Amino acid sequence: EARSRSSVGLPVERLPASALSVALLPGCVGERGEISIFDGKRDNALAAVTCFRPDTPFGVVLLSLESDRPSALRAVDPAATSASAACGELWKLSVLQAIAEPASLAARCGVKVELSFHARGARLAATGGASRVGPLLLALLASAAEEKGSAAVPPDASLEMAAVKRSATASVRALRSRLGAAADRRIAAIDEASASGVRSEAAAFWRSVRGAQLL
């Protein structure tokens, strides 16, 4: 809950110090002023923040790719699901690795990119400064779509492939408590995955895409 300082009546000197100095809240971009954050127990849980209109508007660009492949894979045997999921994860990380340089530069300006799968397909997103999110999302899409996604996949035994496998394995281990026995199958599938298998999974996903929405 956010309230204006004037309604609280607390002087500036009574507001506690905090690392938080600026907050972007819905509807809080049209005027300057001071607000205090409450946690329901005591006043000024996060101290005072400034409400202002940013020089660079915040933007979100989301491209949703509609596909029944992720949900259909759940109906097959666990081994096949693990292998396909492992290759899909390696493909995702390969795409993100391929645009690592522009993404890293954009991150310094507060722009973040995302590529993720869900039951109804995949989403590509960019958030941050409105003038920068569009070009970065296009770079992400180009990397994911080039040669049906296979161009971004590094060759077997390369340092790049070893890096994406380490990252994928770490992600699975972080979810071990939720995945249970499936985690071990997924890790084994990641170890056994080949570049050709990852490229095949990427191509299969693009063939299954039946629509897209740009939000």
Side-chain angles (χ1 to χ4, degrees):
E1 180 185 12
R3 301 179 186 174
S4 67
R5 181 190 295 177
S6 59
S7 66
V8 179
L10 290 177
V12 176
E13 59 270 15
R14 287 186 57 190
L15 293 173
S18 172
L20 177 63
S21 59
V22 178
L24 181 60
L25 303 176
C28 183
V29 294
E31 61 183 27
R32 292 184 178 274
E34 299 290 334
I35 65 173
S36 299
I37 307 297
F38 291 71
D39 63 356
K41 298 179 180 179
R42 63 185 179 87
D43 294 349
N44 307 306
L46 296 177
V49 296
T50 301
C51 180
F52 73 110
R53 182 183 300 277
D55 296 331
T56 302
F58 186 83
V60 178
V61 182
L62 171 64
L63 178 63
S64 178
L65 302 175
E66 300 175 4
S67 166
D68 59 2
R69 183 168 179 80
S71 59
L73 287 172
R74 298 179 182 179
V76 301
D77 65 275
T81 301
S82 296
S84 185
C87 287
E89 181 69 9
L90 292 173
W91 173 58
K92 179 192 79 173
L93 293 173
S94 296
V95 170
L96 293 174
Q97 181 174 258
I99 66 162
E101 183 175 350
S104 178
L105 293 174
R108 299 178 185 178
C109 302
V111 180
K112 177 183 177 182
V113 294
E114 174 194 345
L115 170 58
S116 59
F117 295 102
H118 51 78
R120 297 181 300 278
R123 54 177 273 156
L124 294 83
T127 58
S131 63
R132 296 182 174 91
V133 293
L136 194 57
L137 184 71
L138 289 175
L140 178 62
L141 179 60
S143 178
E146 187 177 4
E147 296 181 19
K148 294 185 177 179
S150 65
V153 180
D156 291 321
S158 66
L159 294 176
E160 292 79 8
M161 179 60 82
V164 297
K165 284 191 173 185
R166 284 195 302 270
S167 181
T169 299
S171 298
V172 174
R173 285 175 175 162
L175 298 174
R176 185 182 291 276
S177 60
R178 184 168 66 86
L179 295 174
D184 293 330
R185 291 195 297 268
R186 186 78 62 83
I187 291 174
I190 291 172
D191 291 337
E192 297 170 2
S194 64
S196 61
V198 176
R199 295 188 186 101
S200 295
E201 180 60 31
F205 173 78
W206 279 111
R207 287 195 301 268
S208 71
V209 173
R210 62 179 184 276
Q213 289 184 326
L214 181 62
L215 306 174

